[in-house]
Amino acid sequence: MEHKKELEYFEIDGAFGGNQDWFTNVVMNIGGCAAATACDCCIYLAKHMKAKELYPFDTDCLNKEDYKRFSQIMKPYIRPRVGGVKKLAWFISGFQRYLEDIEAAGRIVIEEFSGEHTVKEAESFIKGQINKNMPVPVLLLQHKDREQFKDYIWHWFLIVGYEQTAGDIKIKTATYGEAVVFSLKEMWETGYAQKGGLVKIDCNDVKRE
């Protein structure tokens, strides 16, 4: 079992993945984190998992302008709304519709992993996905530690790596064009009854490039 693994993630004009702050559309700039997370998943899968059809632009020349155009393509599927995309099922159903429209639904399988699971179950899930070279979309709703997680409350983002520590794992996250490391235990134990969770993405017939 690996003790540390990070995905070979992508950069866009020097940023670590995409950035919601680039969106010039006001609604997307404020509430487009779920669509941005789906966009980042598609770019990663297109670039590293031979699922080229998921991203309609050049994966060898990633840039902000193409990313913004792609976000507008994704917007109708995972649209910003009052209160945000606050359910895993809303993200999954929208992403699934996008996959169906580009005829990729048979290759990409998406399932939810509820925030009601224990932290140990979440740890096993995350390590399993990262070890398969798959990013993990995360929905975090409220959190008791509003200082540490202030930019992640009511927010969608990605886990792109982990490191095993004594009794916990550190998770590497990607959002707003930056990489930030958190304790999974601290993030998972939100202190609120309403939970977000994780999303499982699998590719049926692709191998990592």
Side-chain angles (χ1 to χ4, degrees):
M1 178 66 70
E2 296 194 57
H3 294 287
K4 180 177 181 179
K5 183 174 177 65
E6 294 183 3
L7 301 184
E8 184 182 348
Y9 206 51
F10 60 91
E11 291 190 355
I12 300 178
D13 293 346
F16 190 76
N19 190 339
Q20 178 183 344
D21 287 343
W22 298 336
F23 298 157
T24 51
N25 178 278
V26 174
V27 174
M28 286 290 282
N29 183 270
I30 295 171
C33 58
T37 298
C39 288
D40 287 12
C41 285
C42 289
I43 294 171
Y44 175 85
L45 295 173
K47 188 171 179 65
H48 294 303
M49 304 298 282
K50 296 185 179 179
K52 301 292 187 185
E53 68 272 29
L54 269 65
Y55 182 63
F57 304 103
D58 186 359
T59 57
D60 293 325
C61 187
L62 298 171
N63 59 79
K64 291 181 183 179
E65 291 308 310
D66 284 348
Y67 186 79
K68 288 189 284 186
R69 282 192 283 267
F70 187 38
S71 75
Q72 288 300 108
I73 293 172
M74 190 64 70
K75 179 185 173 185
Y77 297 96
I78 307 179
R79 61 180 179 82
R81 65 194 78 189
V82 176
V85 182
K86 61 183 180 181
K87 295 184 179 180
L88 299 174
W90 293 354
F91 177 89
I92 290 172
S93 63
F95 203 166
Q96 189 68 33
R97 287 195 302 274
Y98 173 70
L99 294 174
E100 288 169 356
D101 282 354
I102 63 169
E103 299 182 354
R107 300 183 65 196
I108 310 299
V109 179
I110 314 172
E111 301 173 359
E112 65 178 73
F113 182 93
S114 169
E116 298 292 343
H117 285 86
T118 67
V119 66
K120 294 301 292 183
E121 290 170 334
E123 177 181 315
S124 178
F125 175 89
I126 290 166
K127 289 165 70 174
Q129 288 298 100
I130 298 295
N131 287 344
K132 291 191 294 185
N133 297 305
M134 299 301 293
V136 180
V138 184
L139 169 61
L140 182 64
L141 297 175
Q142 293 287 4
H143 202 285
K144 60 187 176 183
D145 188 346
R146 299 190 65 84
E147 180 59 32
Q148 180 176 197
F149 297 101
K150 60 184 178 182
D151 292 329
Y152 291 75
I153 288 174
W154 224 261
H155 188 57
W156 281 91
F157 55 97
L158 285 171
I159 295 173
V160 297
Y162 74 85
E163 181 176 6
Q164 185 72 59
T165 62
D168 193 9
I169 63 170
K170 299 292 186 181
I171 52 171
K172 183 176 183 179
T173 66
T175 191
Y176 294 117
E178 297 181 343
V180 178
V181 175
F182 292 121
S183 155
L184 174 63
K185 184 176 181 181
E186 290 177 4
M187 186 198 79
W188 199 256
E189 295 176 350
T190 65
Y192 285 82
Q194 188 179 18
K195 305 292 185 183
L198 312 174
V199 175
K200 181 179 182 181
I201 300 176
D202 277 325
C203 295
N204 277 333
D205 59 345
V206 295
K207 295 181 179 179
R208 186 178 185 276
E209 292 189 330

